[in-house]
Amino acid sequence: MIRKLHEPMDEPRIKGWCPGAWRPMATGDGLLVRVRPRLGRLTRQQMLALCEAAETFGSGLVELTSRANLQLRGVSEASWPGLMDYLVEHGLVDPDPDSERRPQLLLAPDWQADDATFEAARLLEARLDELPALPAKWGLAIDAGVAPLLGEVSADLRIERSAPGSLIVRADGRELGTPVDSPAAAVELLVRLANWFVDSGGYDAGRMRRHTAPLPAWAPAVMAPAEAGPRLPLGAYLEGEGAWGRVVGLPFGRAPAAALRAAVDSAAVSAVRVTPWRRLLVEGEAPTAVPGLLDDDRDPRLCVDVCPGAPHCEQASVETLALAERLSGRIEGSVHVSGCAKGCARQTLADLCLSGRDGRFDLIVSGRADGTPDATGLSETDVIEYIEKNSDAPRL
């Protein structure tokens, strides 16, 4: 039976930190081990090694996160030490566990070796030891192409282009940034702002967007970022006058290692770049169609955000993936299926959000997983019936 509910939902258990490789997170299907590709790129051999690791030490599934990390599921405590030896051997993990405590660098995936994004990332990587101890979920975005691509991705400080075309450094939560004249000056300002964040009491706030202290006088926020550019479309990726890669999609952000191996198992492929949009940019002549991967931007699964759900996640009380498949194409707008109110797969509003609680689904229209439901206590069948009955509603 569907009943209305207008009371706050139970608070989800938020752990306050992100898993890594040296610090995996226990989930419903074993340990979750997350790999952060250096400068957002893996060589072909590293990608093949990651696929081998997923099948040898985990469940064989590889996931791509909203912060452009790759993660393995189903790793046991007994197999984890062997996995770590393997990942370090293949350059997929830094041998120093303290490296995971540094903020992640997220690069716009269309960077070139001679552009401002790559130069700033290289300079910042060399100065990470100058950063203070920062909250666990802090991140840095290097997005200095003609049009910013990472504006909707979680990051606390950003290097990006302004509307007039100059570089700016922008603190998350602020609409305007501080202009600088070079990638080196941008990195210098970013390092200073990270230290200012801690010195001004920002650590307790956790994230830059929640830190209410005014920016220092030496970092005036006076210039707007350029208009955002589009995500990389699936299919052949063009640069200049020719194609040099192919963008493939991961259904719901996950794929079997065998599918990823098929996408790169050619000498014509040189590397793989990660993105925060459930897409990989394969450098070189990748196959035009690989079973288990997406090659068409019209695929309705690209409009659905879904977490692993039960039994993969210990906090989820419902299975999510089957319902996400059933909902694909039924809603014109965005869809979010979450196993609990944490809403890990999507933090922004969705046209239709389904959140698991006590083995059933709460339904939220134009909201988040932790929002006030429009209906609660729904089974999968109830959800489909609700959508069919309300298909003429403006929001559905």
Side-chain angles (χ1 to χ4, degrees):
M1 176 181 296
I2 301 173
R3 58 187 176 87
K4 298 288 184 178
L5 180 70
H6 297 287
E7 298 176 355
M9 297 176 59
D10 294 336
E11 289 292 327
R13 288 177 287 122
I14 299 175
K15 296 185 178 181
W17 56 279
C18 292
W22 288 108
R23 191 187 184 190
M25 181 179 286
T27 63
D29 58 355
L31 297 179
L32 181 68
V33 177
R34 184 169 292 176
V35 173
R36 306 197 308 191
R38 180 177 175 267
L39 300 183
R41 183 178 185 267
L42 296 179
T43 66
R44 171 177 170 269
Q45 291 302 322
Q46 286 178 318
M47 191 68 200
L48 290 173
L50 187 73
C51 293
E52 182 70 20
E55 293 175 334
T56 303
F57 300 98
S59 65
L61 187 70
V62 178
E63 296 180 330
L64 178 59
T65 75
S66 61
R67 283 196 167 188
N69 294 313
L70 293 163
Q71 59 190 27
L72 311 182
R73 302 196 71 93
V75 178
S76 70
E77 292 188 8
S79 65
W80 177 74
L83 169 63
M84 291 304 300
D85 289 341
Y86 186 88
L87 295 178
V88 169
E89 176 187 353
H90 289 85
L92 291 164
V93 170
D94 194 302
D96 179 7
D98 288 340
S99 64
E100 289 187 352
R101 299 177 185 174
R102 300 168 177 165
Q104 180 179 356
L105 305 188
L106 180 62
L107 275 66
D110 62 347
W111 59 265
Q112 299 296 312
D114 58 353
D115 68 9
T117 293
F118 181 76
E119 182 178 356
R122 180 180 57 81
L123 292 171
L124 180 56
E125 188 180 46
R127 299 186 61 178
L128 288 177
D129 288 340
E130 298 179 34
L131 298 177
L134 292 160
K137 293 193 174 185
W138 246 63
L140 306 170
I142 317 298
D143 192 14
V146 175
L149 301 179
L150 305 177
E152 296 182 356
V153 179
S154 177
D156 294 270
L157 290 172
R158 306 170 186 274
I159 298 175
E160 54 193 2
R161 288 287 173 184
S162 69
S166 61
L167 290 174
I168 60 173
V169 177
R170 184 163 64 92
D172 195 37
R174 280 75 170 180
E175 294 184 359
L176 304 179
T178 303
V180 292
D181 59 10
S182 69
V187 170
E188 176 66 28
L189 180 58
L190 185 147
V191 171
R192 288 188 69 188
L193 281 170
N195 281 277
W196 163 84
F197 172 82
V198 173
D199 293 342
S200 59
Y203 198 98
D204 291 338
R207 302 300 301 272
M208 179 65 80
R209 66 176 179 270
R210 294 198 292 264
H211 188 36
T212 58
L215 290 172
W218 43 263
V222 296
M223 192 168 289
E227 184 176 348
R231 298 178 179 180
L232 302 184
L234 297 183
Y237 180 73
L238 305 177
E239 179 65 29
E241 297 181 355
W244 68 269
R246 191 163 198 88
V247 181
V248 299
L250 280 64
F252 307 131
R254 53 186 58 86
L260 297 174
R261 181 184 294 109
V264 303
D265 196 12
S266 166
V269 170
S270 58
V272 174
R273 300 187 188 189
V274 293
T275 83
W277 314 302
R278 296 176 287 173
R279 299 161 191 242
L280 297 173
L281 172 55
V282 182
E283 298 180 22
E285 297 182 19
T288 57
V290 176
L293 300 179
L294 306 180
D295 199 48
D296 187 343
D297 271 313
R298 296 169 296 181
D299 193 298
R301 286 171 289 184
L302 292 171
C303 295
V304 181
D305 294 297
V306 56
C307 70
H312 308 291
C313 176
E314 61 181 2
Q315 296 204 46
S317 66
V318 292
E319 296 183 10
T320 56
L321 297 173
L323 180 57
E325 286 278 3
R326 293 182 67 184
L327 293 176
S328 297
R330 288 179 177 267
I331 305 295
E332 291 187 5
S334 56
V335 178
H336 179 196
V337 184
S338 181
C340 72
K342 282 180 64 177
C344 295
R346 184 185 178 103
Q347 298 299 310
T348 57
L349 304 181
D351 294 313
L352 174 68
C353 181
L354 296 160
S355 181
R357 183 168 54 155
D358 298 330
R360 311 284 279 188
F361 287 97
D362 290 334
L363 184 149
I364 305 105
V365 177
S366 297
R368 302 186 346 153
D370 59 357
T372 299
D374 292 84
T376 191
L378 281 64
S379 65
E380 284 193 19
T381 301
D382 293 333
V383 169
I384 300 300
E385 290 179 354
Y386 184 99
I387 293 171
E388 291 176 346
K389 290 178 181 178
N390 293 276
S391 60
D392 295 331
R395 292 183 294 177
L396 289 181

